[in-house]
Amino acid sequence: MAALAEDLGRPLRARSRARGVMEAEVFTDLATAEGLWRALEADPAVLMTPYQRFDWVAAYLGAGIDAGEATRILVLRDEGGRARLLLPLTVGGRGPLRIARVVGDRHANFHMPLFASREAAAMRPEDLTEALVRAGRAAGIDAFTFRNQPRFWDGVPNPLSARGLPAPSDAYGMLLGPDAEATLRRVFSGDTRKKLRAKERKLVEALGPVEHRIAGTPEAAAEIQAAFYAQKAARFTGLGIADPYAPAGIRRFIAAATAPGAEGTAPAIEVHALVATKSGRILATFGGAVDAARFCGMWTSFDTDPELGRFSPGEILLHRLVGQQAARGRRALDLGVGEAGYKAKTCDETIELVEQVVPVSPASHLLVLASGAAIRLKHRIKRSPRLWSAVQSLRRLRRGR
């Protein structure tokens, strides 16, 4: 591993003489892989999630959240030398083992690889596993852990999900149409739209006009994020749990990801707010990872003032967000992983997710068994209302001590 760390960005290759088997390259820094990465992203044929955009990954790694872990960018090429898959990884220790995982941890809802095209994603799962094992051996990796792998993306099967176990929670989303009003009528029932209009009228009577703002500068994004952090902190304090957005590294990541990308491209994370126009008070926020085709919700928040709660500012903002995203031409919007009432009410698509561990070294096979047992247990608890209620009751009791 030390020799690899000293490679200073030169790609480490794991070749095979077997016809039809892909060649793996492992880059040791972002800069070396950037040109190839951006070229793949820019190709209209690419199949990827916004969480694998170069700018999203660069912002996350640059914030030092996974300090102490090594960066590895895995690229698989076909016999003609064409890049077919790119997978950004960090490698760190878990006991005596070196474990690779996709960049982003729990802040990325989807950990799917970037595929050069739908054709590239049609590779056999066995071939992909074999290439991962060969690359892992060359890079000193004992196992790969893959969370939140969609079974399908844009209707295309994800070969990395073929051998996975059902994740504890799925994600929820919707397709957007070119007609924003038609999309809103489809996503929100007539009764829901009527209630939201009534709530917005009452909100305007209380605070004056409100508007939907989209941060266009780092300064505007910082203002919205400051409100988000305050609103989330109040929410988590009320629940008696630690605030996952409090660490400085997370805030550095978000600040970098909400800034415009290279050559004026869209930021990796787009932030929205519902604002009282006269006072400038931010009533609700929404942030999501974006690319040209999709908005992936990462967080939402709302002012916890009880007087405002009856107006549902978060729901009003979501309604405007869906319409705005359809109008700008994005094809899909999702609200991330995990169960919530507003997701079930709004979304018409369940994005099934799986998890798996791919062993590389003999020592990692015990990790596969332990991980599989943990995934099955979590899945059983989260999918059973009785067991999940019991877990939540236990957590409340612990917070009360």
Side-chain angles (χ1 to χ4, degrees):
M1 195 67 185
L4 181 61
E6 294 169 1
D7 202 29
L8 298 178
R10 293 191 299 274
L12 188 152
R13 292 179 170 84
R15 294 187 177 90
S16 172
R17 294 181 180 178
R19 183 174 180 82
V21 176
M22 291 175 291
E23 177 181 317
E25 294 178 288
V26 181
F27 294 89
T28 59
D29 65 50
L30 283 177
T32 309
E34 182 176 0
L36 169 64
W37 197 332
R38 290 196 184 278
L40 288 170
E41 275 188 47
D43 190 328
V46 71
L47 185 73
M48 62 180 290
T49 91
Y51 297 103
Q52 282 76 57
R53 275 185 61 189
F54 180 86
D55 290 331
W56 197 99
V57 173
Y60 186 91
L61 292 175
I65 297 168
D66 295 326
E69 297 197 1
T71 298
R72 299 291 180 259
I73 311 302
L74 171 63
V75 175
L76 299 184
R77 295 182 181 274
D78 63 16
E79 287 182 299
R82 297 179 303 166
R84 302 283 81 193
L85 174 153
L86 184 147
L87 190 60
L89 303 164
T90 59
V91 182
R94 185 184 298 180
L97 302 178
R98 298 286 291 172
I99 306 300
R101 55 185 180 144
V102 180
V103 172
D105 196 36
R106 296 187 181 277
H107 292 276
N109 283 302
F110 307 117
H111 290 181
M112 195 180 81
L114 180 158
F115 294 100
S117 64
R118 291 170 179 258
E119 177 192 8
M123 67 179 68
R124 296 195 317 151
E126 296 84 358
D127 292 341
L128 177 53
T129 298
E130 180 185 343
L132 288 172
V133 170
R134 287 188 286 108
R137 287 172 181 160
I141 293 168
D142 290 292
F144 296 87
T145 62
F146 294 115
R147 298 179 59 252
N148 292 2
Q149 289 294 320
R151 288 194 183 277
F152 294 86
W153 194 255
D154 282 349
V156 178
N158 171 14
L160 199 52
S161 74
R163 298 181 179 180
L165 296 171
S169 295
D170 291 321
Y172 302 89
M174 67 191 78
L175 295 178
L176 305 175
D179 184 326
E181 286 302 318
T183 297
L184 289 171
R185 288 194 299 270
R186 175 175 56 82
V187 172
F188 299 94
S189 69
D191 185 55
T192 296
R193 296 197 308 275
K194 181 179 178 180
K195 289 179 179 178
L196 285 175
R197 286 194 296 268
K199 288 182 177 182
E200 186 167 343
R201 282 196 300 271
K202 293 177 181 178
L203 178 59
V204 170
E205 289 171 4
L207 297 180
V210 297
E211 60 181 301
H212 173 196
R213 289 184 187 172
I214 308 166
T217 65
E219 293 75 21
E223 182 180 6
I224 294 174
Q225 285 309 114
F228 164 75
Y229 293 135
Q231 291 168 6
K232 274 300 188 185
R235 176 72 171 163
F236 287 124
T237 297
L239 294 173
I241 58 178
D243 182 355
Y245 297 98
I250 298 300
R251 298 192 177 194
R252 286 195 299 270
F253 155 58
I254 293 173
T258 53
E263 300 179 359
T265 58
I269 296 176
E270 195 172 274
V271 290
H272 297 246
L274 186 70
V275 183
T277 307
K278 291 181 179 179
S279 66
R281 183 177 181 179
I282 295 176
L283 311 177
T285 75
F286 216 112
V290 295
D291 60 20
R294 194 178 191 102
F295 181 101
C296 289
M298 292 178 63
W299 64 72
T300 185
S301 72
F302 53 87
D303 194 311
T304 56
D305 183 343
E307 290 299 312
L308 285 177
R310 57 197 176 98
F311 304 128
S312 302
E315 291 185 31
I316 294 171
L317 177 58
L318 177 58
H319 182 272
R320 294 198 179 193
L321 173 68
V322 170
Q324 185 270 340
Q325 292 294 304
R328 72 175 294 168
R330 288 197 169 116
R331 300 195 305 269
L333 181 149
D334 68 73
L335 299 178
V337 178
E339 296 73 22
Y342 78 97
K343 296 181 184 181
K345 185 169 62 174
T346 306
C347 297
D348 54 12
E349 177 191 13
T350 298
I351 304 170
E352 293 184 67
L353 302 175
V354 303
E355 300 187 6
Q356 70 162 320
V357 175
V358 176
V360 176
S361 69
S364 66
H365 286 273
L366 285 177
L367 175 66
V368 175
L369 295 175
S371 176
I375 292 168
R376 290 185 182 93
L377 178 60
K378 290 178 182 178
H379 181 271
R380 183 182 178 190
I381 291 172
K382 288 295 292 289
R383 303 303 173 101
S384 166
R386 180 177 60 83
L387 292 175
W388 184 235
S389 177
V391 169
Q392 291 178 309
S393 296
L394 180 59
R395 288 175 175 173
R396 285 193 292 269
L397 286 173
R398 288 179 174 176
R399 289 198 297 266
R401 291 178 181 175

